[in-house]
Amino acid sequence: MRRALPAALVLLVLLALPIGAGSLYSDFYLSLAIRVFAFVILLLGFDLLAGYGGLISFGHAMFFGTGAYAAALTLKHLTPSVWAALAVAVVVSAALALVVGFLSIRAREIYFVFLTFAFAQFAYHAVNSWEWAGAANGLPGIPPPSLWIAGRLPVDLDRRAVFYYFALALAGAAFLVARRIVGSAFGRVLVGIRENEERARFLGYDVTRCLRRAFLISGVFAGVGGAVLASFHGFVAPTFYHWSVSGEVLLMALLGGMGTLVGPMAGAAFVIVLGDILSSWLAERWLLVMGLIYVACVLFSPTGFAGIARRLGALRDAAPAERAP
Amino acid sequence: MASPEVLLTNLLYGLTIASALVLISSGLSLIFGIVGVVNFAHGSFGMLGAYLGFSLVMATGSFWAALLLAPLIVTAGAIVMERLTLRPLYGLNPLYQLFLTFALSLVFSNLVLLVWGGDTVSIPTPSYLRGFVSIFGIAYPTFRLFVLVFSACLAAALWLFIGRSAWGAVLRAGLHNMEMVEAFGINTRALVTAVFAVGAGLAAVAGVVMGAMRSVNPEMDLDLITSALVVVVIGGLGSFRGAVIGSLILGTAESFGAQLLPGLAKFVVWIVMAAILLWRPEGLVKDA
């Protein structure tokens, strides 16, 4: 249980963060943290598919955006209940993931990457031209959501600290669900497919069905992430669908180390926080520096933070140089 | 229905786009063929070529000097980039190379923003290439005709080089089996660098001519890399012939798509790519 202590510390810090907000430090850090939580949910979904199933999607912005728009449209036109918004986001992104997964999973490796990229670009241009979705301007003025269920709990989420705890709880729940999936028989089969697809097939597993299911789950996670961010900002725009979001997801996952769940979560936090620091410090030059940091990361540690942590751990354990593989 | 003149104009324009696409996509395809790297920064070479070309025309006053020098500068830069950043990653999971080149494209696009600002510029062309020429009874812009002939000649030269020369034979062997080529005592590292450098230079040439034909803007890298990716995916990665076929399909689809379905012009690229990938997940051409 060596990991229990750091995990408890992180949780404690996260729970205590809103206490000092507004007095010790700016409220803005809560917004930044909420953005991190939304991306954490998206990254968990990406890692289930890419890190465990071995299918690299370059189109997760499409599910992120779809969840965001579904939540935004629900809040705007149907009900202020955040649960209804989340439910609609889940259903719509699941439906989209079902179709895209069905079509894409016939391809593998780099062709799968391009196919998901093509679908995502298609969705981006579609949203950009649909008038009912606000076209290029997006949808501003989404009313603040509330925890309202059938007349009970009429707590509005428009206060930043309240939304913060709500998003933290959702991200925590998403992590527990993802860990459960990874530990289940289905999760093991996914890893088996990633390691050797042919062998998994010979053992009698329906590989295509497993991967489609993983794609569906992954798309739903991404949709929930988008829904969280959209209901917090009260605004959606086609930038949710932009291909750079898909690229960012890949960067975060790789920086953190794929196939570890915790790694991509840390990657999301790192990229978002660093991006904020750099952009306030370097003005418009920050993306240049960010790009150079990415380049350095991949050159010096191709396995990401998880690899660095593992190496540090190996040093600390002072194990014999050659451990059993 | 459209008149024969309109059809012919569209066909010529489609061929013009296609010939420039061959220049930009062949490098992407060949480098994938020999080392399995999808170079996401390939479009940046085109954009850098275009902006350098613009500055060179401004400095020297000669379009031809720009067309010659800009690709040479980009080629030199690409050699440095390949040696320093890509070489350590060959043989690893292709994801790391995709990630690296994605990060590099981010660096290049911000570099362009810093040096040239976010403005859209256009590369001045020589006066005798402006205006129109008449071919088969239609008036076609002279510069577009120049792009068509010039790019087609370069592509043909490349095709002859790959198909007929001794170095081309080494390259073709490398597309099949790089280890075997190395076992024959050929310096494969130099081969990879050379292919990368030539590919980058051709992309820069395409950047200059396309920049002069349309415009030069900071989003050009994305336009170029998406077109090139679609082309190589349609044609099949790692094949020069595939890049040519893919370019012809995409070029004509773009020019006719803009004419026949103006509202759907942006979708045409993605519809064509998704349809072909679904029908043939490995591309149309499966050879070296």
Side-chain angles (χ1 to χ4, degrees), chain A residues 275-288, chain B residues 110 114:
Chain A
D276 175 64
I277 294 171
L278 287 180
S279 64
S280 58
W281 182 36
L282 296 164
E284 73 268 37
R285 235 166 297 174
W286 76 278
L287 269 170
L288 183 71
Chain B
N110 283 283
L114 276 182

Side-chain angles (χ1 to χ4, degrees), chain B residues 90-181:
Chain B
Y90 292 140
L92 288 177
N93 187 331
L95 209 62
Y96 295 120
Q97 299 138 8
L98 194 69
F99 174 76
L100 174 85
T101 53
F102 178 80
L104 283 171
S105 77
L106 213 62
V107 172
F108 287 137
S109 76
N110 283 283
L111 207 60
V112 163
L113 282 178
L114 276 182
V115 177
W116 284 279
D119 300 332
T120 298
V121 295
S122 62
I123 301 175
T125 51
S127 55
Y128 47 87
L129 287 180
R130 292 177 209 150
F132 292 82
V133 281
S134 98
I135 346 168
F136 308 117
I138 59 160
Y140 196 68
T142 315
F143 191 77
R144 287 188 183 176
L145 187 68
F146 160 73
V147 172
L148 173 57
V149 174
F150 176 75
S151 312
C153 286
L154 258 185
L158 186 64
W159 182 69
L160 279 177
F161 179 78
I162 295 172
R164 297 292 156 89
S165 74
W167 290 6
V170 172
L171 173 60
R172 277 178 290 139
L175 291 170
H176 276 291
N177 190 334
M178 203 61 173
E179 277 177 16
M180 199 64 177
V181 172

